[in-house]
Amino acid sequence: MDKILVGLKRVVDYNVRVRVRSDGSGVDTDGVKMSINPFDEIALEEALRIKERGEASEVIVVSIGTADAQQQLRTGLAMGADRAILVESDTAVDPLTGARVFRALIDRENPGLVILGKQAIDDDNNQTGQMLAALWERPQATFASKLELNGDKATVTREVDVGLEVIEIDLPAVITTDLRLNEPRYVKLPDIMKAKKKPLDLIPLGDLGVTAAMPMKQVNFEPPEDRQKGIMVDDVAGLVAALKEKGLL
Amino acid sequence: MSKILIIAEHAEGSVNPCTAKCLSCAANIPDAEIHVAVFAVDGATLASEIATLASVSTVIQIDNPANANSMGAIVAPQIVAIADGYTHIFGPSTTFGKDLMPRVAALLGVNQISDVMAVLGSHSFKRPIYAGNAILTVEAPADLPVVATVRTASYQEADNGGNATIEIRTVAADIPEHTRFIELQAGASDRPDLQTAAKVISGGRALASAENFEIIFKLADAFGAGVGASRAAVDAGYVPNEMQVGQTGKIIAPDLYVAIGISGAIQHLTGIKDAGTIVAINKDAEAPIFEVADIGLVGDLFTIVPELEAAISG
Ligand SMILES: Cc1cc2nc3c(=O)[nH]c(=O)nc-3n(C[C@H](O)[C@H](O)[C@H](O)COP(=O)(O)OP(=O)(O)OC[C@H]3O[C@@H](n4cnc5c(N)ncnc54)[C@H](O)[C@@H]3O)c2cc1C
Ligand SMILES: Nc1ncnc2c1ncn2[C@@H]1O[C@H](COP(=O)(O)O)[C@@H](O)[C@H]1O
């Protein structure tokens, strides 16, 4: 296989507990730590391993977003990606528009595999990979926890509600990652230096000839309903009594 | 008026209860006619089961040998073939629905609303974002089909008592051959299903081994409960992946949830927000799980769990 395309979305770090702005206009992201979407880090790690096994020749990381996303792309390059593309957009793109962007990049790059995360942990949409596969009219192996390539086919183990599903797909295809696919490597300092010299292309969204989809109108953000702090019991007898009182025993 | 199509989920000849939950969600859309489509090899029994659910007017049965394994890439074009005339197409927010529905949405040229937790109007919905740390109200474009997945933990199953018409249809859809099912590796279990169990007992990293996790299973048997786990427990190999509760596992809403040796990371809490009563057993009094627990007990699980099991069984 020639190339693998990997999506890297810049998101609020998974350790940050976000807060909704009091006027309901969004969540507070000022000064909050930003990172690569964890599922995308796994997508990149998988692509790098495929390349290191000699089964692909180039790994290209792609982000759609503001200039700030260059930071995450540089981290991706430091992890080992060969080149990066930032599709510049001042506003966040909806999943269908994002899928159309990847579709347009596929026409330019002709990859054998596109690996995306199963979901971005900010909007939790879990849509882009499936949409891309539909637009590309190619297979989708979503929620992958194991990926084996054999020539023009891949065998993928998927995490589904009842257990693990194994499917075989023809390539090219879209894979979306689940957490147990691999454990991403740490970036080493010399690699950060080297990454500065790797190519990072900026493409204005308008240059791709992509028609923007109709987004959902975001009307209001609110915090979730809080659960009240309950009671503490001292021992098992206390626990049993409390459960009986609630009719749970 | 809204005309809603719900995609049924089924396995091994029975309808998944999430279908009846999708129905409860759809029933909140004002002035709606609700159809349910079942894609199977031979869906006759499934269709007649679905026809008895309240508020369904028509069940559309589409049989095809290709539907043996409910794969998104295979079912999606068949849905698109019958989508005309529907204002809404809903599926469950299970791994089946999550795989399938965005593919349908893309083919119809719309974005999807993921994880609907409340219906405010025919085009207005609430959904969780940021692992449930914020609730977003969205409005779908008025003149386009609404494709959505339903957060099943937010809804009860619809009642029986319906008597819908069953329509057997064949569709002219291009079914791809690029995706082939090989096998399902599922742990057979005679315990209550995690997603529908009234009681769930979960263990975390603190169990420290697969052997130790047995005490959680024993306690669950005493309660007649399903068994869950934190991601840490799954990653460490104590239990299989289908037992994971949380943002990237199962979102559940049992009457009773008992978290044992689980710290209460936000990604875990997302999965249990709708539980009736949360019990936490943890040796660290500062563990975040106690902030959401209705009943907390600080102590060593290895002494508490056997004691509790004895107290219940005895
Ligand atoms: C993108 C993403 C998605 C994730 N999705 C999920 C998800 O779906 N579900 C999920 O669970 N996690 C998820 N996680 C992981 C999550 O962040 C936590 O790492 C995980 O939930 C921790 O599991 P734990 O509570 O079992 O382990 P720990 O955090 O290590 O907690 C163990 C607890 O056991 C207690 N303990 C230790 N010994 C004893 C004893 N003898 N008796 C009593 N108590 C004891 C400790 O005090 C501690 O509180 C996700 C993470 C990421 C980044
Ligand atoms: N703006 C973006 N830039 C790069 N990749 C993205 C972007 N949005 C979505 N993706 C990819 O699509 C996956 C699923 O995103 P979503 O459908 O938004 O949950 C992510 O894990 C990324 O791999």
Side-chain angles (χ1 to χ4, degrees), chain A residues 12 14-18 20 27 29 39 94-97 100 118-119 121-128 130-135 137-143 153 155 157-170 178-180 213-225 227-237 239-240 242-243 246 248-249, chain B residues 69 71-73 94-95 98-99 102-103 105-107 109-115 126-141 144 177-187 195 199 223 231 234-235 241-242 244 247-248 250 255-256 266-267 269 272-279 281 290-298 304 307-308 311-312:
Chain A
V12 171
Y14 81 96
N15 279 312
V16 174
R17 196 180 205 125
V18 300
V20 175
V27 299
T29 50
F39 294 99
D94 56 88
L96 183 55
T97 305
R100 286 176 178 166
K118 80 165 175 182
Q119 78 197 66
I121 61 159
D122 47 5
D123 292 333
D124 285 334
N125 274 316
N126 196 333
Q127 300 181 26
T128 310
Q130 298 87 315
M131 289 182 152
L132 174 61
L135 301 178
E137 298 178 54
R138 293 306 307 166
Q140 61 190 44
T142 50
F143 328 142
K153 295 184 182 57
T155 306
T157 304
R158 306 178 52 231
E159 295 209 4
V160 295
D161 288 337
V162 290
L164 298 170
E165 182 188 82
V166 185
I167 62 172
E168 184 187 68
I169 53 175
D170 295 338
D178 218 317
L179 290 170
R180 274 177 282 274
M214 281 287 276
M216 299 295 157
K217 189 173 160 202
Q218 307 194 327
V219 180
N220 181 52
F221 294 75
E222 62 193 299
E225 260 176 61
R227 284 189 79 99
Q228 297 298 316
K229 197 175 157 62
I231 56 159
M232 298 300 287
V233 294
D234 295 329
D235 50 22
V236 167
L239 176 54
V240 169
L243 287 173
K246 287 178 178 277
L248 292 164
L249 265 183
Chain B
N69 298 292
M71 291 188 288
T94 54
T95 50
K98 286 175 180 171
D99 182 54
R103 189 149 182 141
L107 294 173
V110 296
N111 278 293
Q112 171 187 277
I113 302 172
S114 304
D115 307 313
K126 286 191 185 193
R127 60 174 300 259
I129 56 173
Y130 288 97
N133 283 309
I135 309 298
L136 173 62
T137 302
V138 292
E139 214 170 276
L144 294 174
E177 283 168 9
H178 53 47
T179 304
R180 296 170 293 274
F181 174 86
I182 297 183
E183 62 170 337
L184 186 65
Q185 302 165 352
Q195 260 160 324
K199 297 174 184 171
F223 269 102
R231 178 185 165 205
V234 174
D235 283 355
N241 68 289
E242 63 264 27
Q244 183 178 315
Q247 182 190 14
T248 48
K250 291 191 173 116
D255 300 334
L256 173 65
I266 43 175
Q267 295 87 5
L269 299 184
I272 57 169
K273 266 192 196 357
D274 296 315
T277 297
I278 297 176
V279 173
I281 298 170
F290 288 120
E291 279 159 42
V292 300
D294 300 283
I295 308 172
L297 175 53
V298 177
I304 292 172
E307 226 184 289
L308 181 58
I312 296 167

Side-chain angles (χ1 to χ4, degrees), chain A residues 6-10 37 39-40 43 62-65 93 95 98 102 115-130:
Chain A
V6 173
L8 287 192
K9 189 176 184 190
R10 171 185 166 91
N37 182 39
F39 294 99
D40 298 353
V62 177
S63 197
I64 312 163
V93 297
F102 277 100
I115 314 183
L116 303 182
K118 80 165 175 182
Q119 78 197 66
I121 61 159
D122 47 5
D123 292 333
D124 285 334
N125 274 316
N126 196 333
Q127 300 181 26
T128 310
Q130 298 87 315

Side-chain angles (χ1 to χ4, degrees), chain B residues 148-167:
Chain B
T149 58
V150 174
R151 182 178 183 274
T152 49
S154 299
Y155 295 93
Q156 304 285 325
E157 288 171 41
D159 291 332
N160 285 318
N163 185 17
T165 322
I166 297 174
E167 230 177 70

Side-chain angles (χ1 to χ4, degrees), chain B:
Chain B
M1 208 194 84
S2 298
K3 198 173 163 197
I4 305 174
L5 181 67
I6 292 174
I7 311 304
E9 177 168 350
H10 60 90
E12 291 172 30
S14 33
V15 182
N16 189 304
C18 65
T19 305
K21 293 183 178 185
C22 288
L23 203 51
S24 297
C25 173
N28 290 328
I29 292 176
D31 192 20
E33 179 183 328
I34 304 177
H35 295 188
V36 178
V38 54
F39 298 86
V41 177
D42 174 1
T45 326
L46 298 165
S48 39
E49 194 184 324
I50 295 165
T52 65
L53 291 170
S55 63
V56 183
S57 69
T58 306
V59 181
I60 302 169
Q61 179 190 334
I62 291 156
D63 292 348
N64 192 316
N67 290 336
N69 298 292
S70 297
M71 291 188 288
I74 305 226
V75 181
Q78 301 175 64
I79 296 174
V80 172
I82 62 165
D84 221 24
Y86 290 103
T87 55
H88 298 69
I89 305 181
F90 282 9
S93 172
T94 54
T95 50
F96 162 73
K98 286 175 180 171
D99 182 54
L100 168 67
M101 300 306 287
R103 189 149 182 141
V104 173
L107 294 173
L108 296 175
V110 296
N111 278 293
Q112 171 187 277
I113 302 172
S114 304
D115 307 313
V116 168
M117 59 185 287
V119 174
L120 306 179
S122 67
H123 287 69
S124 175
F125 306 91
K126 286 191 185 193
R127 60 174 300 259
I129 56 173
Y130 288 97
N133 283 309
I135 309 298
L136 173 62
T137 302
V138 292
E139 214 170 276
D143 44 357
L144 294 174
V146 178
V147 176
T149 58
V150 174
R151 182 178 183 274
T152 49
S154 299
Y155 295 93
Q156 304 285 325
E157 288 171 41
D159 291 332
N160 285 318
N163 185 17
T165 322
I166 297 174
E167 230 177 70
I168 300 176
R169 288 183 47 184
T170 48
V171 297
D174 244 341
I175 296 179
E177 283 168 9
H178 53 47
T179 304
R180 296 170 293 274
F181 174 86
I182 297 183
E183 62 170 337
L184 186 65
Q185 302 165 352
S189 161
D190 42 17
R191 291 198 172 75
D193 174 53
L194 184 55
Q195 260 160 324
T196 47
K199 297 174 184 171
V200 172
I201 315 288
S202 280
R205 193 198 307 271
L207 270 301
S209 72
E211 295 77 55
N212 289 346
F213 211 93
E214 278 306 314
I215 64 171
I216 300 293
F217 285 111
K218 274 181 148 174
L219 182 63
D221 288 344
F223 269 102
V227 180
S230 70
R231 178 185 165 205
V234 174
D235 283 355
Y238 309 158
V239 289
N241 68 289
E242 63 264 27
M243 285 174 49
Q244 183 178 315
V245 171
Q247 182 190 14
T248 48
K250 291 191 173 116
I251 313 277
I252 57 174
D255 300 334
L256 173 65
Y257 185 77
V258 185
I260 300 173
I262 292 176
S263 60
I266 43 175
Q267 295 87 5
H268 188 80
L269 299 184
T270 306
I272 57 169
K273 266 192 196 357
D274 296 315
T277 297
I278 297 176
V279 173
I281 298 170
N282 196 301
K283 71 174 183 192
D284 175 11
E286 304 297 316
I289 188 78
F290 288 120
E291 279 159 42
V292 300
D294 300 283
I295 308 172
L297 175 53
V298 177
D300 186 343
L301 73 91
F302 292 107
T303 52
I304 292 172
V305 171
E307 226 184 289
L308 181 58
E309 191 219 319
I312 296 167
S313 319

